[in-house]
Amino acid sequence: TEHPFASGAGRDDIRITTNYHPDSLESLFSTMHEYGHGLYSHQLPEHLERLPIGQHCSLGIHESQSRLWENLVGRSLPFWRRFYPRLQETYPEQFAGVDLARFHAGIHAVRPGLIRIQADEVTYGMHVMLRFELEQDIVEGRVELRDLPERWNEKMWDYLGVEVPDDGHGVLQDVHWSSGSIGYFSTYLIGTVASVQIWQAAGRDVPELEEHVGNGEFTPLRTWLGEHVHALGCKFSPQETLRRATGSAIAAQPYLDYLRQTYA
């Protein structure tokens, strides 16, 4: 699909999509992202499945699950110590001469770009802020819809120093506004921030978590998420759900520390 998504008819009918790019590995990360969504939906409490309380807690918590698998697992060095040899075997022409350290640095390169779902972790937040500010302008009547492309292009230059060549790579790249999901984009950044808190809490409870990931053993993390996040369904508010899982309401500092440690 042009824009990857996860869907399904119930917790035992989960379907995910991805988008394959001929010149990049973006589909690997978007698939892991959608897996996080699918896993959350699959591990919601079975006995509450047909009740409102048995649904996901919030879109922000949902995005915390997808961003956790995409970035904190999928871009980690232990993960790639395990799977990079398989990637080299699959694409020998592209990766035979690229060692693990260079590859790992490559998937953490900071390069401002046009497309949100392809953005690195450092610039990703700017894409969300741009959209959220435009949403506020739309709702408050400060910008006419016909002027959105121009305003979009201005903000892309102001925030990321990127020139937008056409609307397909600009204001029309996401499906959210056209489907009526005004206000959705902020959940991506809320989820990204919360994902670090959840990952750290899992690491405290599962001391050998990174070693498990490095061995390709994902059951401990999957089980922990199921018990501490997914099984709560919609019993509590998002903040209370996060507090029960991590010991704290949402906080930016762990996320900022993670970015500094990873990219400094």
Side-chain angles (χ1 to χ4, degrees):
T1 181
E2 182 62 27
H3 192 103
F5 64 92
S7 186
R11 66 186 299 279
D12 292 322
D13 181 11
I14 305 298
R15 302 161 190 244
I16 66 174
T17 69
T18 192
N19 186 358
Y20 293 100
H21 298 265
D23 57 353
S24 78
L25 295 173
E26 185 57 39
S27 61
L28 284 177
F29 299 106
S30 63
T31 301
M32 286 186 271
H33 179 103
E34 301 307 332
Y35 166 79
H37 282 307
L39 181 66
Y40 185 11
S41 298
H42 181 58
Q43 295 197 140
L44 288 169
E46 184 175 13
H47 66 291
L48 300 176
E49 182 176 8
R50 300 301 176 184
L51 300 175
I53 199 173
Q55 305 306 305
H56 60 269
C57 174
S58 73
L59 296 175
I61 296 297
H62 227 311
E63 294 299 343
S64 76
Q65 302 306 287
S66 57
R67 296 290 282 173
L68 183 150
W69 285 97
E70 175 189 0
N71 293 323
L72 297 165
V73 175
R75 296 184 190 273
S76 70
L77 188 56
F79 179 91
W80 285 109
R81 284 198 187 106
R82 174 75 178 186
F83 291 105
Y84 187 54
R86 293 175 59 177
L87 191 67
Q88 289 178 305
E89 292 174 5
T90 305
Y91 300 103
E93 182 178 345
Q94 290 85 354
F95 294 109
V98 181
D99 62 25
L100 175 61
R102 183 181 171 195
F103 172 80
H104 191 249
I107 63 174
H108 286 87
V110 179
R111 299 188 186 95
L114 290 164
I115 308 300
R116 174 184 61 84
I117 63 174
Q118 298 174 13
D120 59 80
E121 291 181 280
V122 175
T123 62
Y124 184 86
M126 304 302 290
H127 288 266
V128 176
M129 291 166 62
L130 179 155
R131 288 156 172 77
F132 182 61
E133 290 175 1
L134 285 177
E135 286 178 330
Q136 290 179 306
D137 288 342
I138 293 169
V139 171
E140 296 294 333
R142 292 190 292 266
V143 60
E144 295 290 334
L145 295 185
R146 65 174 64 91
D147 298 326
L148 266 180
E150 181 180 357
R151 292 291 294 274
W152 177 289
N153 296 353
E154 290 173 354
K155 282 182 175 289
M156 283 293 291
W157 178 256
D158 290 342
Y159 285 178
L160 294 166
V162 174
E163 291 188 359
V164 181
D166 55 69
D167 292 339
H169 290 85
V171 70
L172 297 179
Q173 67 179 264
D174 294 299
V175 301
H176 302 72
W177 287 345
S178 61
S179 62
S181 297
I182 303 297
Y184 193 108
F185 287 112
S186 57
T187 69
Y188 288 116
L189 194 51
I190 291 171
T192 300
V193 170
S195 71
V196 176
Q197 294 176 258
I198 293 170
W199 172 258
Q200 291 178 349
R204 290 192 295 267
D205 291 347
V206 185
E208 297 178 349
L209 180 58
E210 290 193 1
E211 183 177 332
H212 288 307
V213 170
N215 291 329
E217 300 169 355
F218 302 108
T219 300
L221 176 58
R222 190 176 69 239
T223 300
W224 188 93
L225 292 171
E227 293 176 353
H228 292 82
V229 180
H230 306 164
L232 299 181
C234 196
K235 293 179 182 178
F236 308 104
S237 69
Q239 292 281 33
E240 180 62 20
T241 298
L242 192 60
R243 188 177 291 108
R244 286 172 177 264
T246 70
S248 169
I250 194 167
Q253 198 59 50
Y255 172 61
L256 296 174
D257 292 342
Y258 162 76
L259 288 181
R260 292 190 181 98
Q261 292 165 6
T262 304
Y263 290 91

